[in-house]
Amino acid sequence: MSREEDLLKCLEALQEMGLKSDSITAVKHIPAQEARFEDYPDDADPAVVKALKERGYTRLYSHQRSSWESLKQGKNVVIVTPTASGKTLCYNLPVLDAIVRNPSSRAIYLFPTKALSQDQRAELDDITKLISSEVRIFTYDGDTPQDARRAIRAQGHIVLTNPDMLHSGILPHHTKWIKLFENLKYIVIDELHNYRGIFGSHLANILRRLKRIANFYGSNPQFILCTATIANPVEVAGKMIEAPVALIDDNGAPRGEKYFVFYTPPIVNEALGIRRSYVNESRRVASLFLRNNLQTIVFAQSRLITEVLLTYLKQDIERTIKDEGLIRGYRGGYLPLKRREIEKGLREGKILGVVSTNALELGIDIGTLDVAVLAGYPGTIASTWQRAGRAGRKSGKSAAVLVASSSPLDQFIVHHPEYFFTRSPEMALINPDNLSILVSHIECGAFELPFQEEERFGTAAIGEILKFLEEEKLLHHSKDKWYWTSDAYPADGVSLRSISSDNFVVVDTTEKSRVIAEVDFSSALTTLHPKAIYICEGEQYFVEKLDYDQRKAYVKKTDVDYYTDAIDYTKIKILDVFGKAELGHCRVSHGEVHVATQVVGFKKIKFHTMENVGAGDLSLPQNEMHTTAWWLTVPSDVLQALPYTPEQRVNGIFGLAYLLHHVSPLFMMCDVHDVGVSIGDNATGESLPPRDAASRVSQREDFPMVPEEDFEPNIFIYDNFPGGIGLSPALFLLEKRLLEHGLKTIEVCPCKDGCPSCVGPTKESGKLAKQVARDILKKLL
């Protein structure tokens, strides 16, 4: 049988499986699309055109031709087309053309990940081998050896780098890069939709600094931005580079036909509303395709789930010795050589299946796959299409299956497919003028070049900030200029993803000590705490010791039938109230808060059944930040008037907090993890520990398990980023809509007492949580 017949056979089997348990909520057939070609432009350099034709690019797609026309008119462009539609040629053609015509021309390519820049580098090398004149291409990132850096600064025509390196390794040392900045013609920013929220706000400020330095050296580069489908590409690109952009969105690339299936795990316990584990269902769905030799990629939401699924699929598929290595994992913590090897195995078809985090969502070349299985909704519509687009490229049939988890957001999406297929995807939000981000980049800018009197930073007026920095003894004002006077190196103090710049290294001490992975600071405390089970490439390791000061975790190989999940406790203090609104029977506010989070324990969760088989206590250092939050205050008289016991009322508040936390991302175009939730007492200012942490916290602090009579709860939803990125003001402006959506979600949920799809599992929220939460919402509305 051909691959296509195999694929259709598997889809039929999946439908049968789904009909039995009423699991399939939608099957969408997306028809194939023919390519629309145009000829190469007459004014393109013949040597470049010849090389591209030899590489197999015989003609251009229509969008590649129109981006060339716009660039020739001196415009900045933003290119919005789906995955694998040949965006790369939109920028490689004009850049190579400029360099071959004038060998002193330079270009900077910015990619969000190292892997992507490696991939693009290989593609460029293949083209430039075929061009007679020399084009020197270099990757400049954290892995570039010191001795190679000098050569790159003097000779590189095209420098491939990432925002982090541009921020701390290139801009502060612009005097060593004079050749680059004097002749800078093009700046390419790929995967623009990735730069939203905090990361995007930082990048916009880095580009302000870049333009400032380029202008100082007398160049005025053009920008070429590429993005997957988002609702506001022109707005976000214009905000990013603070200049007008031309939109190129007429996609001329061919597309094979695709089947998109929405699958929700069947309910196994009507009363508790418990569904089958979405991880187990993703495994069943993926195994169905893998057993029929269809090359499959499975996307998981976290590193942990990636490794859990990898363990399961290896058990299902690698039955004999000759099958070993058919299924591989892929995620950020793996070392670069291992990742390159996996990408190559996929392109050559030696690897049948890969389980990945979002690391493979971006345009890394992994050849043509048949099926994409998404374990859990990725949180945004744009990401979902990106992941589904990894299967099936230019021709032939392919399939994508979205397996929903039981979170309220996932259930909303699979039960309202029209919301997903008709609505143009979300807005990318950035806020370049977030004060803490702006100030840190003004410090970096002053270090690079003195500011003139009345000078603006991009479009921001910064006189006040310069005076503040002078008071802080960082700047000195003399003869209408502001000079950096501190001996600090400001770029080092700024982390672009709001995570501190230090990673933890995982050291395997089983035989001889060797480093097996790296984990970023914010996940280290929850994944590498003492006694944790750390999983890497499907192997389990027991964490013996976490050396917090040296940023190292020492682990030994082990083989157990459970994994660990950390329990944390968050305390919130209100620092300043920016706004209040009375909504009938309750009050919503937003303002600045101080958030302190501490890991207080962990649960052991058994593979396959997901039952809790044990727990342990921990005491790790606190992680603190200032951020912005939205909070709902439920007046104590409303709470006291409900006909329930004090404990049941608290259960209702926990349930309501869970619900609002999970429904809010629908409005803010962000991930559930971008916002945190916590419950405080408006009267005392104390924070309530979550259910599974309560017993652990109360042993250490005299904390009442059931609050006092006059308890007036605040439910906080806070930006999980220092300084905030404008998510909480967005919630404040919604007024009642968030509460109304919450009530709808509770009312359509089929469970009896609360489940993961509404107010959280009964074990975590407590008895009667669903009824109490529903009654509270009805009272408030």
Side-chain angles (χ1 to χ4, degrees), residues 191-227:
E191 309 284 351
L192 176 70
H193 55 278
N194 255 37
Y195 302 111
R196 52 177 197 268
I198 202 108
F199 194 24
S201 311
H202 273 294
L203 181 64
N205 280 294
I206 292 170
L207 295 177
R208 286 170 167 174
R209 288 160 49 200
L210 174 60
K211 285 167 79 170
R212 204 172 156 244
I213 291 171
N215 293 343
F216 175 77
Y217 287 109
S219 65
N220 185 15
Q222 274 174 274
F223 284 86
I224 306 174
L225 304 109
C226 301
T227 169

Side-chain angles (χ1 to χ4, degrees), residues 503-504 519-529 546 620:
N503 287 352
F504 279 75
V519 175
D520 59 56
F521 182 82
S522 59
S523 4
L525 296 175
T526 51
T527 54
L528 292 173
H529 56 76
L546 177 68
L620 293 176

Side-chain angles (χ1 to χ4, degrees), residues 78 178 200 277 296 320 325 330 388 407 436 589 650 767 774:
V78 58
I178 294 178
S277 150
T296 302
T320 62
Y330 187 103
S407 95
S436 56
S589 327
V650 175
K767 288 205 175 89
R774 184 170 56 213

Side-chain angles (χ1 to χ4, degrees), residues 137-198:
I137 300 156
F138 295 104
T139 313
Y140 194 81
D141 59 27
D143 298 340
T144 308
Q146 287 296 336
D147 50 352
R149 295 185 179 192
R150 192 175 296 121
I152 297 175
R153 292 196 280 256
Q155 302 170 354
H157 282 125
I158 302 178
V159 177
L160 290 79
T161 184
N162 51 43
D164 306 81
M165 201 63 188
L166 182 63
H167 155 72
S168 62
I170 298 180
L171 297 178
H173 306 293
H174 60 88
T175 50
K176 298 179 181 168
W177 292 86
I178 294 178
K179 270 224 172 86
L180 174 79
F181 287 114
E182 282 179 340
N183 302 293
L184 191 56
K185 287 274 293 188
Y186 289 111
I187 297 171
V188 173
I189 301 174
D190 200 3
E191 309 284 351
L192 176 70
H193 55 278
N194 255 37
Y195 302 111
R196 52 177 197 268
I198 202 108

